[in-house]
Amino acid sequence: MGVGGSSPLDQRQRKQLTGRTQAALRNFSPHYRRQFAAAFLKQVWREMEQQEKRSPQLMPCKDGKAAAAVRYEGALMQWQETNRWKEKYLTVRSDYTVNCFDTKEACEKGWPPQVCVPLTRCVLLSSLKEYNAVVDSAAQGLKESSSTGPYEGPFMTPLSKYILVLFHPYRRPLCFCCPSSVTQQAWQAVLSDGIRHHNTVLQRRRSFEVEALLDAVRFYRQERCCFGTGDWTFGEEMEILSNMVMEELVPVLQTQLIPSFKGPVQKRRRTWFKVLEEVYFLVTDQVSQELLCLKRENKEQRLQLEKKVRSNLDQILTLKEQISRKLQALVRRPADCCYSGSLQPYLDSMLEELMLPISAGFKEIRSLFSDTINNVLQNLRNGQKSMPLDRLLPDLLLDLPQNSLKMYPCYLKVEVFRDNLAELTPRFGFEGVGILIQTAQNLIQELMENAVYTFLQLLQPQLNSKLSSAQASQLLENVKGRVLKKFDYDSSTSRKQFVGEALILVLLPVMLKALEPSCKLELSKYEDFVFADYSGVILIENIYEEVLFLMLQQEIKKALKEASSQKNYSLYRESLINPQDNPEESLDLATPEG
C-alpha cells in the first residue's frame, strides 16, 4: 500500500479496508447473536428472581434538565488548518454536547453550530510536554534513533502557555489557547466532565442490550488472545464496534504503510495521523450501516426469545445449574492454583491502592456538600428578614452536582489511580485504569446528586413557609445532619462495591487467560449436555466464565471482610444506624419550633 497525494488512500486501498471491516463485522455477528440471547435470559431471570439488595438511604435523583440548557460557554482561540489562530465561541450543553460557533452573536441568534466537537475517547492535554508524550506513544514505529528535533506539533506558535488539546487516537487533534490559567482550569474541568459523560454513556444505560454488546466484543477479542478491558468500551455502540475494528486494522496499516513513508519523522507522523483519520471515517461509516442491520435482527430475535425463554424458564435454569456444577468440578483445582499463586499475593496491596483514592473522593464531596449548606446557614444568620426557604437556597446548591468547577477537586482525588495502579499493566496486562477512574467519578457525582436531591426533598414541606432565622437555621441543621448520615451509609456501600468490581475487572481476565490452555479446550465436551431446543440460549462458554467469576468473587469478598477491621478504610459501616429504622431520627418538618 502506497500513500497518495491529496488523500493518503487510493481507491484500491479503500476497497481493501472496506473488505477487512466487513469481514471483521461478519466474524463478530455470531458473537452478538449468542450474547443477545444469553443477556436476555439473564434479564428475565433477574425479573423473576427479584433479588434482595441493600436499599440506598439517599433518594435517587432524577435529572430533569433540558438538553438545550447551557452548562458553560466562552470564547477560545482555536488553531485552524490554515495555520493560524482564530477566535471561536464554544458552548457546553447540559448533555455535554460541545458546539463551536464562529462568533458569540451566531450562538445567540440560534444559528447552527459550525461544528459539534466530539469528546468520546478523547484525552485532554494541557501542555506541549503532555502532547508530545501522547504523540510519541501513538506514533510508535515512526521514531528515529536520534532526537526528533524541535517541536512541530499541531500548532507552531501557541499564543500563550495555557493550551488545551483534545487528542483522539484516530482523529486530528483540536487545539485551543486560553487567555489565563483560570480560564484554562475552568475549561479543563468542564471538558473533562464531558469526556467522562460520553465515554461512560453505555455504563449508565444498564440494559441487557448493552450487556450483550459488551460481552460480544469481549468474547470476540478473547478469540484473538486480547483479554481484559480498556478504552474500547468507551462511547456508544457504533464507537465501540469501530474501536474493535480499528484495533485489528492499525497493526496491518503499520506494517504495510509506515515503511513507505518518506521524509523527516515529523512529516511521516503527520501522514500517519492523516491515514488513521481517513481509515477511521471509513470504518465508522461501514459500522453504522452494519449496526442498523444487527439491530433489525435483534428485534426479530427478541420476539423468538420471549416465547422460548419465558415459557421454559424453569427448565432452562435447572439445566444451566446442572452444567454449572459440572464445570465447577472441571475448573476448581486449576482456578485455585491460579488464584493462590498469581493473584492472592497482590490482593492486599491492590485493595489499598483502590480504597484510599475512592475514600478520599467521597470524603471530598461530603465536605463540599456540608460546606455549601454551612454557607447557606451563614447567609441566613446574617440576614434579619423572615422569608421562604426556597429563596434562601441559592442556585449554587441546586446546581452543585453539575457544577464542573466545584466538583473538579473531588474528581481529581481518584485521578491518582493512574500512578497508584501503574504496575498493573506490566504485571497483569490491565489497561482499564481510565475506566476505573471514570467509574469512580460517576459514583462521586451520583452521590452528590442524591445528597442534594434528598436534602431538598426533606425540606419540601417547608420550602414555601415563612420562618424566623432561628427556625430556618435549626431546620437546615437537622436536615443536613440526617442527609450526612444517609450519605455515610451509601458511600460505604458504594465504596465496597466499587473496590470489589474493580478487583474483578483486573483479576478475572488474568484467570481466564491462565486457564485457557487447560480448561477452555475442554468446554466442547459439555455441549452435549445442552438440549437442542435450548442451544441458542444456554452457552457453555458463558457458564464457564460465570463459574470463574463466582469463585473469584468469593475470594475477594473474604479479602474485603478482612479489610473491614482496618479503621482507616471504613469499608464496612454496618454499625451505622439505619436512619429509616430509627424512630428517633425522624424529623417533624411540618411543625418547626416557635
Side-chain angles (χ1 to χ4, degrees), residues 14 51 149 166 196 268 425 514 583:
R14 287 168 169 269
Q51 294 173 299
L166 284 167
R196 170 172 58 87
R268 289 186 279 132
T425 299

Side-chain angles (χ1 to χ4, degrees), residues 111-176:
W111 294 355
Q114 185 184 34
V115 66
C116 180
V117 179
L119 294 180
T120 303
R121 212 183 171 187
C122 281
V123 178
L124 186 60
L125 310 169
S126 57
S127 70
L128 297 183
K129 181 179 179 181
E130 288 180 338
Y131 175 79
N132 278 325
V134 171
V135 169
D136 285 342
S137 176
Q140 291 182 7
L142 289 165
K143 296 180 181 179
E144 293 182 343
S145 56
S146 60
S147 173
T148 59
Y151 174 78
E152 295 183 18
F155 38 80
M156 294 297 295
T157 310
L159 296 179
S160 74
K161 63 180 179 179
Y162 307 116
I163 68 168
L164 288 173
V165 181
L166 284 167
F167 183 89
H168 187 280
Y170 308 131
R171 287 197 305 261
R172 70 192 62 188
L174 295 174
C175 312
F176 301 96

Side-chain angles (χ1 to χ4, degrees), residues 181-306:
S181 62
V182 174
T183 307
Q184 183 193 44
Q185 291 168 8
W187 277 105
Q188 192 169 10
V190 174
L191 292 175
S192 295
D193 258 12
I195 292 171
R196 170 172 58 87
H197 178 86
H198 288 287
N199 280 350
T200 59
V201 62
L202 288 190
Q203 290 182 25
R204 300 190 308 276
R205 198 171 295 168
R206 297 175 183 174
S207 66
F208 84 89
E209 293 91 345
V210 168
E211 184 179 359
L213 179 82
L214 294 176
D215 282 345
V217 176
R218 188 168 54 80
F219 278 111
Y220 177 86
R221 296 179 76 252
Q222 285 182 18
E223 270 192 355
R224 288 145 185 81
C225 299
C226 297
F227 291 81
T229 190
D231 291 355
W232 61 263
T233 62
F234 288 158
E236 297 275 6
E237 292 97 329
M238 184 275 291
E239 292 162 318
I240 289 175
L241 292 183
S242 297
N243 292 336
M244 179 192 77
V245 175
M246 290 296 293
E247 190 176 31
E248 292 187 31
L249 288 181
V250 168
V252 176
L253 295 171
Q254 288 175 329
T255 301
Q256 296 185 5
L257 282 180
I258 287 180
S260 67
F261 292 172
K262 306 299 181 183
V265 65
Q266 298 291 358
K267 179 182 178 181
R268 289 186 279 132
R269 280 182 174 177
R270 286 194 293 271
T271 304
W272 171 241
F273 289 131
K274 192 174 181 181
V275 167
L276 283 180
E277 183 173 56
E278 188 162 348
V279 171
Y280 185 64
F281 288 152
L282 284 171
V283 168
T284 54
D285 183 62
Q286 188 75 34
V287 166
S288 298
Q289 299 175 38
E290 296 293 334
L291 188 58
L292 289 176
C293 296
L294 287 173
K295 289 192 172 183
R296 282 196 293 268
E297 291 180 11
N298 285 349
K299 291 182 180 179
E300 299 176 4
Q301 187 181 4
R302 178 164 185 171
L303 292 175
Q304 299 171 359
L305 290 170
E306 286 280 358

Side-chain angles (χ1 to χ4, degrees), residues 429-442:
F430 181 68
E431 298 180 347
V433 173
I435 295 170
L436 294 182
I437 290 172
Q438 295 186 8
T439 301
Q441 290 170 341
N442 281 344

Side-chain angles (χ1 to χ4, degrees), residues 265-360:
V265 65
Q266 298 291 358
K267 179 182 178 181
R268 289 186 279 132
R269 280 182 174 177
R270 286 194 293 271
T271 304
W272 171 241
F273 289 131
K274 192 174 181 181
V275 167
L276 283 180
E277 183 173 56
E278 188 162 348
V279 171
Y280 185 64
F281 288 152
L282 284 171
V283 168
T284 54
D285 183 62
Q286 188 75 34
V287 166
S288 298
Q289 299 175 38
E290 296 293 334
L291 188 58
L292 289 176
C293 296
L294 287 173
K295 289 192 172 183
R296 282 196 293 268
E297 291 180 11
N298 285 349
K299 291 182 180 179
E300 299 176 4
Q301 187 181 4
R302 178 164 185 171
L303 292 175
Q304 299 171 359
L305 290 170
E306 286 280 358
K307 298 175 183 178
K308 178 184 290 187
V309 172
R310 293 192 185 277
S311 59
N312 299 288
L313 183 61
D314 289 341
Q315 296 93 319
I316 292 173
L317 294 179
T318 299
L319 179 57
K320 189 170 177 283
E321 178 60 28
Q322 292 172 354
I323 297 173
S324 178
R325 286 197 293 267
K326 295 178 184 296
L327 288 176
Q328 287 176 28
L330 170 70
V331 305
R332 171 60 68 183
R333 185 171 180 179
D336 286 344
C337 290
C338 174
Y339 174 76
S340 59
S342 303
L343 307 182
Q344 189 178 32
Y346 306 104
L347 199 60
D348 287 344
S349 61
M350 288 172 58
L351 192 152
E352 182 174 2
E353 299 296 352
L354 288 165
M355 184 60 60
L356 296 180
I358 191 68
S359 298

